[in-house]
Amino acid sequence: MLDWSKISTVLLDMDGTILDLHFDNHFWLHHLPKRYSESENISLEQAKKKLSAHYQDVEGTIDWYCLDYWAKHTNLSITDLKREIQHLIRLRDDAHDFLTALKASGRDVVLVTNAHPDSLSLKIERTELDQYFDTLYSTHEFGVTKESQLLWQKLQAKHGFDVDCTLFVDDSLVILDSAKKFGIKHLLAVANPDSKQANKKISGYPAITDFGIFVEEIKRSGLN
């Protein structure tokens, strides 16, 4: 599926790729609507409808991922609300061994997430995921998301990765399309981002449901 001998840099998404997406799906689709309905004194269905329409309006933009934006829109502390269900934040079951093997192999392991810095900090606090990475980037520091070619241009200018020797892993096909357009040669989709939902059908990219299939090969093809 992947020629690890030709991969020296690994760019990894966070939510749905390294972390179980169940936390985020539950927060945005259930917990925030519940708290918003209570705050606005409207029904849960009304709250879901209003938020869903707004989600669609800004999806894929930096605002969609910005906790400050949603705090202003809802008049609620999004970070505080996330902490109410922080027990749901967890690494994927197959992530630890995969990330440990990557780090030990001598490859440059980089987190590239659209998540807001406050969300990233909370998830590091809960999972200590920073121990697995050489560098962590929130796209908010660049002002654009992974859906944009400008993000890849800015990220390459700052980090200096070679597209021919780079693997990028994400659970979003739209974002993988963006990385492909930029020229990143090795691309991988995650077909089971949410442990509580059925696997997604992926076309156009190699896809996995268990990072464990790569561990031994990564060890054999280490750069150290």
Side-chain angles (χ1 to χ4, degrees):
M1 185 181 292
L2 295 172
D3 187 347
W4 287 97
S5 68
K6 296 181 179 178
I7 296 170
S8 57
T9 299
V10 181
L11 307 179
L12 295 168
D13 171 50
M14 180 171 68
D15 301 315
T17 297
I18 296 305
L19 300 185
D20 190 337
L21 194 60
H22 174 60
F23 167 80
D24 298 275
N25 283 337
H26 183 75
F27 179 81
W28 294 105
L29 299 178
H30 301 285
H31 193 65
L32 178 58
K34 178 183 177 183
R35 290 291 183 248
Y36 185 57
S37 72
E38 294 167 353
S39 174
E40 296 294 306
N41 196 27
I42 59 178
S43 72
L44 180 58
E45 287 307 309
Q46 286 176 308
K48 286 183 175 180
K49 187 174 181 179
K50 289 181 69 173
L51 288 172
S52 179
H54 203 134
Y55 293 166
Q56 293 176 27
D57 287 342
V58 298
E59 187 175 3
T61 70
I62 204 73
D63 283 341
W64 164 233
Y65 300 99
C66 183
L67 302 193
D68 297 327
Y69 176 86
W70 290 109
K72 182 178 180 181
H73 175 69
T74 61
N75 291 314
L76 295 167
S77 172
I78 302 301
T79 301
D80 286 345
L81 294 187
K82 287 194 170 196
R83 287 190 175 277
E84 290 180 354
I85 60 166
Q86 63 183 335
H87 61 282
L88 297 178
I89 299 173
R90 57 187 291 274
L91 285 171
R92 288 171 53 101
D93 290 339
D94 56 349
H96 172 78
D97 289 350
F98 171 66
L99 293 169
T100 300
L102 278 180
K103 191 76 179 292
S105 76
R107 291 176 173 86
D108 186 21
V109 188
V110 184
L111 184 78
V112 185
T113 177
N114 280 335
H116 186 274
D118 289 347
S119 184
L120 175 57
S121 293
L122 175 60
K123 289 170 178 177
I124 290 173
E125 177 186 321
R126 291 294 300 180
T127 67
E128 299 182 342
L129 64 87
D130 55 322
Q131 67 184 295
Y132 302 107
F133 294 91
D134 298 298
T135 315
L136 299 93
Y137 292 112
S138 164
T139 59
H140 288 253
E141 72 176 87
F142 301 102
V144 285
T145 66
K146 289 181 285 185
E147 287 87 341
S148 167
Q149 290 297 290
L150 186 56
L151 179 279
W152 298 106
Q153 294 165 16
K154 290 184 173 184
L155 181 64
Q156 189 181 50
K158 181 160 187 175
H159 200 80
F161 58 89
D162 180 347
V163 293
D164 289 330
C165 303
T166 295
L167 166 66
F168 174 60
V169 189
D170 206 294
D171 64 300
S172 165
L173 295 184
V174 171
I175 291 175
L176 285 166
D177 288 344
S178 179
K180 181 178 180 180
K181 183 177 180 181
F182 184 68
I184 294 177
K185 186 172 182 179
H186 307 277
L187 299 166
L188 181 67
V190 176
N192 59 338
D194 185 330
S195 64
K196 305 301 182 183
Q197 296 184 6
N199 295 353
K200 300 190 298 181
K201 292 183 179 179
I202 306 294
S203 60
Y205 298 98
I208 58 96
T209 57
D210 183 358
F211 283 118
I213 65 172
F214 296 130
V215 171
E216 291 306 316
E217 189 176 356
I218 290 170
K219 291 177 179 179
R220 289 196 301 269
S221 61
L223 304 181
N224 286 329

